[in-house]
Amino acid sequence: MNGIDVYTGQGIIDWKKVADSGIRFAMIKATQGRGETAATMKLRNFTDSKFTRNIMEASAAGLMVGVWHWLTAQTVKEAEEEADYFVKVISPYRSKITLWAAADVESERYLGSLNAIELTAITKAFLNRLARNGYKIMLYTNPNFLKYRFTQNAFADTDIWLAHYGVKKPMSVPNLRIWQHSAGRVPGIRTRVDLDTGYFDTPKHKVGDKYMIRAGDVYSTGAAIPQRLIGKTCTVYRVETDRILLREIMSWVRI
C-alpha cells in the first residue's frame, strides 16, 4: 500500500487531500536527539514543530500512523535518554499510533565515528526502551548501514523500514515492512515528500469497535486468555498492526 513520511519541512499539510489521493499510511517525525542544521545545532532532545498537528490531522483523515525519532546518541546512556524523551512526546497520542515507533538511524554527523559494535548497542538500547514501554518497534535505515555499519544480522528479527532508491525492488531484508523508494509530489503537500510502499495488512479493527473474546485468543505475550473471559464483549481502545488493546480488560490481544 502507498504511504509517505513527513517532518516539519513539509509545512502545513492538507491531510484530507493526502488521504483522498490514495495514501494509506504516514510515518510522522516526532523528535530528534541533536540538531543537524545551523538553526537546531544547539538543541538537545527536541520535538518536531509540526508533530502534534500532523499526527492529529493524519489520524482524523483516516490514515494509519506511525512515528519516528532521529537518533543521534553516541552512547547507550544517551540512547536511553533519547528514547525516554521520544516516549514522553508520543505518549499523549498513543491511541493515534496504529503502526510503529521507529528509530531513524542514518546521521553521519553524530553516528559516523561509531564502530559496528557501538552503533548496534546504541540502536538496540533505544529500541528496547521503546519496546519496554509497549510500542511496536521499527528500524529505519539504508543498505549501507545494514550491510556494514551494524554487526552482522543484528536486526534480523526487527521490523525494517528501508531507504533504498534507484532500484526496481528493495534489497532483500528479513522483516521488511516499509520501503522508502523515492520522493515526489502528493496532493495536499506543497513540497516534495518521501514516498513509501508498505508491506503489511490493513488492521481489521478500529478504535471503538466491539470485540468478543473467542476461544483460542491469546494475549500479546502469547499466553492463553483465561476461560472466564471467553465470550466477553470488549471495546477496542488501541489498534496496532498485530494486536488490539481491549478497554475492559486493559490487555493486548493478538489478531
Side-chain angles (χ1 to χ4, degrees):
M1 69 182 73
N2 294 326
I4 57 175
D5 55 275
V6 301
Y7 75 113
T8 192
Q10 271 71 57
I12 295 175
I13 297 172
D14 186 329
W15 284 101
K16 184 179 185 304
K17 287 184 179 179
V18 171
D20 289 346
S21 75
I23 297 297
R24 303 286 301 283
F25 72 93
M27 296 295 292
I28 297 173
K29 183 179 180 181
T31 56
Q32 183 162 332
R34 294 179 174 88
E36 298 270 357
T37 66
T40 61
M41 193 63 65
K42 295 182 179 180
L43 298 180
R44 181 76 175 102
N45 287 329
F46 60 98
T47 303
D48 185 274
S49 64
K50 299 293 189 301
F51 170 63
T52 297
R53 183 182 190 122
N54 281 337
I55 195 168
M56 293 297 291
E57 294 186 4
S59 179
L63 274 70
M64 292 177 283
V65 172
V67 293
W68 54 278
H69 169 87
W70 180 273
L71 187 71
T72 68
Q74 296 174 310
T75 66
V76 166
K77 183 177 184 293
E78 287 185 352
E80 292 174 343
E81 291 172 352
E82 290 193 21
D84 288 344
Y85 182 79
F86 183 40
V87 167
K88 179 181 177 180
V89 170
I90 65 178
S91 288
Y93 309 98
R94 195 159 188 161
S95 65
K96 312 293 183 187
I97 302 170
T98 53
L99 299 176
W100 293 266
D104 183 328
V105 182
E106 59 176 321
S107 174
E108 288 293 348
R109 177 185 294 274
Y110 297 110
L111 309 180
S113 63
L114 300 171
N115 63 41
I117 293 174
E118 291 169 334
L119 182 58
T120 299
I122 286 166
T123 304
K124 282 187 174 291
F126 181 91
L127 292 174
N128 289 341
R129 201 80 157 193
L130 300 186
R132 286 198 295 272
N133 280 276
Y135 290 95
K136 187 172 177 64
I137 61 173
M138 169 174 273
L139 170 63
Y140 170 96
T141 192
N142 56 58
N144 178 62
F145 269 72
L146 278 183
K147 287 181 179 178
Y148 308 116
R149 302 296 297 280
F150 297 118
T151 57
Q152 189 173 14
N153 298 319
F155 298 99
D157 60 349
T158 303
D159 287 342
I160 299 295
W161 173 14
L162 186 70
H164 197 180
Y165 290 74
V167 294
K168 292 183 178 180
K169 62 180 182 179
M171 181 179 78
S172 179
V173 174
N175 302 310
L176 178 65
R177 296 292 179 257
I178 301 177
W179 172 28
Q180 184 190 80
H181 51 77
S182 59
R185 295 284 181 173
V186 170
I189 303 178
R190 297 176 184 175
T191 67
R192 288 169 63 82
V193 63
D194 290 332
L195 304 177
D196 301 276
T197 296
Y199 303 105
F200 53 90
D201 295 328
T202 302
K204 298 176 182 178
H205 306 281
K206 62 181 185 297
V207 174
D209 282 353
K210 297 298 181 181
Y211 181 85
M212 180 182 290
I213 299 173
R214 300 161 296 180
D217 281 347
V218 297
Y219 294 120
S220 58
T221 61
I225 293 179
Q227 182 64 35
R228 61 183 173 79
L229 294 178
I230 305 303
K232 181 178 178 64
T233 298
C234 299
T235 305
V236 177
Y237 184 58
R238 281 189 59 203
V239 179
E240 294 191 358
T241 52
D242 63 346
R243 54 186 177 164
I244 54 176
L245 181 63
L246 301 181
R247 184 191 299 273
E248 287 76 7
I249 63 173
M250 287 308 295
S251 296
W252 287 97
V253 174
R254 287 186 184 175
I255 54 174

